[in-house]
Amino acid sequence: MQVDLIVQARWIIPVEPASVIHENYSVVVNDGRIVDLLDNEAALQIYQPRAVECLDRQVLIPGLVNCHTHAAMSLLSGIADDLPLMDWLTHHIWPAEQKWVSEAFVRDGTDLAIAEMLRGGTTCFNDMYFFPEVTAQQAIAHGIRANVGLIVFDFPTVWAENADAYLQKGLALHDRLRHQALISTSFAPHAPYTVSDEPLRQVRTFADELELTVHMHVHETRHEVDEQRQKTGHTPLQRLADLGLLTSAFMAVHMTQLSDEEIGFYAQTGGHIVHCPESNMKLASGFCPVAACLKAGINVALGTDGAASNNDQDMLAEMRVAALLAKGVSGDASAVSAAQALQMATLNGAKALGLDAAIGSLLPGKQADLVAIDLSEVETQPVFNPLAQVVYAASRHQVSDVWVAGKRLLNKRQLTTLDLEELRGRAAIWQQRLTGR
């Protein structure tokens, strides 16, 4: 049988089945999909590939799924560091966005983020930001997979004047994008404290009708929870439940403030949690009780958040921090194993987005979203367990090659759809504008 590509790797970690590691194995790819996984010798006996890629120092994993981003905020990285969330938002980020966010800002910031994510092994990102049509356009242009958030606020911004306008523009964008192979959409109401009840009821109705997921910041800080309790006597999570939003299509981002009762209740809804450990630590927002959530049966995915509150979009680092933080917070060294951390960064993210039939693991029939990590570097020697080395020792600079739907987007550390020098030039121009130079 003739096929497009065989990728031979020193190790392959398919994620499904869990904890399996294949040695001297091949992934067979045709028409952008995985056809087979088998040992190198058998692959070349059974298939006639148009191309063979030999990665004899690399471990091959599924593409990483960054389940919560504000991609264009790459241009705001480092603009307001070492501040708590509400101070950071109200006195620095929102004023900067009000002054500078435009289609050009989102285009250039998204390109910068895509370059960073691809070079770090991320093949799919779940975004929430203004001008989502531009984010989608840039993702399509550069070949990365994206779930684009149809944002909703109560108040006017540069993208829309009120909640109804956000919803109508979002619905129109969903309709335009619904046939794009690499693009999906979610409703993305910003947070309980920025969206009132009636728009949230409409989000629920439209999401049900269109079978879309919903992506929202929830229980990010103690202040958010306390303020809602003082105003209504209920927590934000209770309010969302009363509005009918908490279903298996709901992604709650952050969730740093959870009681045992809330964990049990949320598990029953089938909702997902997107854990952003580095951003939460940097803003001193708190710790999501990941070990308890996983034990309760909640699907926990990983996200970096925006580069303005994290300063990078490095999913390998996020995996490591998530595993180590879960052990420290729970007091249990076995909490969140290396295998669980990798699953959180791949398959769990795909499940949260409703894309697990297509991505998140290396199984025949799934899309060929592949990431190769070179473990021959001295920092990851010796290799007793390649899975543990990926999670606990490897850095994003060891990502050598990336494919999305079988198309190579990173070739021996070189991006194939983006010009780094040109990107640096655009970033420098925005730096000058934002600093008033």
Side-chain angles (χ1 to χ4, degrees):
M1 176 182 174
Q2 193 169 63
V3 294
D4 293 333
L5 174 68
I6 289 179
V7 182
Q8 300 177 331
R10 179 69 175 81
W11 304 276
I12 294 178
I13 303 172
V15 173
E16 287 185 291
S19 302
V20 165
I21 301 171
H22 298 301
E23 200 163 348
N24 297 315
Y25 240 58
S26 294
V27 174
V28 182
V29 177
N30 197 51
D31 290 334
R33 292 185 178 273
I34 298 169
V35 174
D36 208 345
L37 274 82
L38 67 174
D39 70 73
N40 291 339
E41 187 177 340
L44 292 175
Q45 288 176 349
I46 298 170
Y47 299 99
Q48 292 81 53
R50 295 180 181 87
V52 176
E53 187 66 33
C54 184
L55 305 174
D56 57 3
R57 302 188 308 271
Q58 281 94 330
V59 56
L60 202 65
I61 64 171
L64 301 172
V65 179
N66 189 342
C67 216
H68 180 62
T69 65
H70 309 287
M73 293 182 82
S74 290
L75 292 175
L76 299 176
S77 176
I79 202 168
D81 289 329
D82 308 321
L83 297 167
L85 175 67
M86 294 316 295
D87 183 9
W88 174 81
L89 268 179
T90 57
H91 299 125
H92 300 275
I93 298 303
W94 284 345
E97 288 179 328
Q98 191 172 28
K99 183 174 182 180
W100 291 109
V101 170
S102 63
E103 290 189 30
F105 179 97
V106 173
R107 180 197 65 222
D108 292 346
T110 299
D111 281 357
L112 191 63
I114 289 171
E116 180 185 3
M117 286 191 281
L118 287 173
R119 280 161 56 91
T122 292
T123 58
C124 176
F125 68 102
N126 178 35
D127 204 58
M128 177 193 286
Y129 207 61
F130 308 105
F131 297 103
E133 69 277 17
V134 177
T135 304
Q137 167 191 301
Q138 299 313 107
I140 293 165
H142 302 306
I144 194 170
R145 198 178 300 276
N147 186 71
V148 178
L150 311 174
I151 60 165
V152 182
F153 287 91
D154 278 348
F155 52 82
T157 66
V158 67
W159 197 63
E161 62 272 19
N162 56 41
D164 284 340
Y166 287 105
L167 286 164
Q168 292 309 309
K169 292 184 79 169
L171 289 167
L173 180 58
H174 164 74
D175 195 53
R176 291 205 305 273
L177 295 173
R178 60 197 172 96
H179 298 303
Q180 290 290 340
L182 297 179
I183 306 295
S184 52
T185 56
S186 291
F187 282 102
H190 174 260
Y193 56 89
T194 53
V195 188
S196 54
D197 285 359
E198 186 50 36
L200 289 177
R201 289 191 187 96
Q202 292 183 64
V203 164
R204 183 200 64 195
T205 299
F206 289 134
D208 288 348
E209 289 176 356
L210 298 171
E211 297 183 339
L212 294 185
T213 53
V214 179
H215 170 208
M216 189 179 197
H217 302 100
V218 182
H219 281 224
E220 185 171 1
T221 63
R222 172 57 55 191
H223 170 77
E224 172 199 341
V225 177
D226 289 347
E227 186 176 55
Q228 183 82 72
R229 269 207 189 99
Q230 289 168 7
K231 286 181 178 178
T232 67
H234 298 291
T235 67
L237 203 60
Q238 288 171 315
R239 175 175 162 234
L240 296 176
D242 292 342
L243 290 168
L245 277 164
L246 301 188
T247 71
S248 59
F250 190 79
M251 290 176 276
V253 183
H254 299 302
M255 296 284 261
T256 68
Q257 314 294 319
L258 289 173
S259 66
D260 291 342
E261 292 76 18
E262 286 169 327
I263 291 171
F265 164 71
Y266 192 68
Q268 291 175 355
T269 71
H272 312 269
I273 290 175
V274 183
H275 179 37
C276 303
E278 290 192 4
S279 175
N280 291 339
M281 288 194 297
K282 186 166 186 274
L283 294 170
S285 298
F287 306 113
C288 177
V290 169
C293 291
L294 289 171
K295 189 175 180 180
I298 298 171
N299 180 58
V300 181
L302 289 180
T304 59
D305 211 348
S309 64
N310 185 330
N311 297 58
D312 65 39
Q313 288 159 111
D314 182 353
M315 282 291 287
L316 284 175
E318 214 72 39
M319 260 197 296
R320 181 176 307 122
V321 171
L324 299 180
L325 188 62
K327 298 173 192 298
V329 169
S330 67
D332 178 4
S334 66
V336 183
S337 66
Q340 284 177 303
L342 180 59
Q343 183 173 318
M344 287 165 66
T346 54
L347 185 59
N348 289 10
K351 286 179 179 176
L353 296 172
L355 297 175
D356 50 309
I359 63 170
S361 61
L362 304 183
L363 290 178
K366 287 198 173 188
Q367 296 279 312
D369 291 9
L370 315 171
V371 169
I373 302 170
D374 188 346
L375 296 184
S376 70
E377 300 287 348
V378 69
E379 290 83 0
T380 44
Q381 289 290 309
V383 182
F384 295 111
N385 182 329
L387 199 164
Q389 289 299 79
V390 167
V391 175
Y392 295 129
S395 79
R396 60 179 170 173
H397 302 293
Q398 291 171 257
V399 173
S400 63
D401 300 88
V402 172
W403 289 263
V404 174
K407 181 179 179 181
R408 198 171 195 166
L409 302 184
L410 188 71
N411 185 350
K412 298 177 176 60
R413 291 295 297 158
Q414 300 302 309
L415 291 165
T416 65
T417 62
L418 284 147
D419 182 328
L420 287 184
E421 286 307 312
E422 192 264 343
L423 262 181
R424 288 188 184 100
R426 282 193 272 159
I429 291 169
W430 280 108
Q431 182 180 2
Q432 291 169 356
R433 290 172 180 167
L434 287 157
T435 53
R437 295 174 187 164

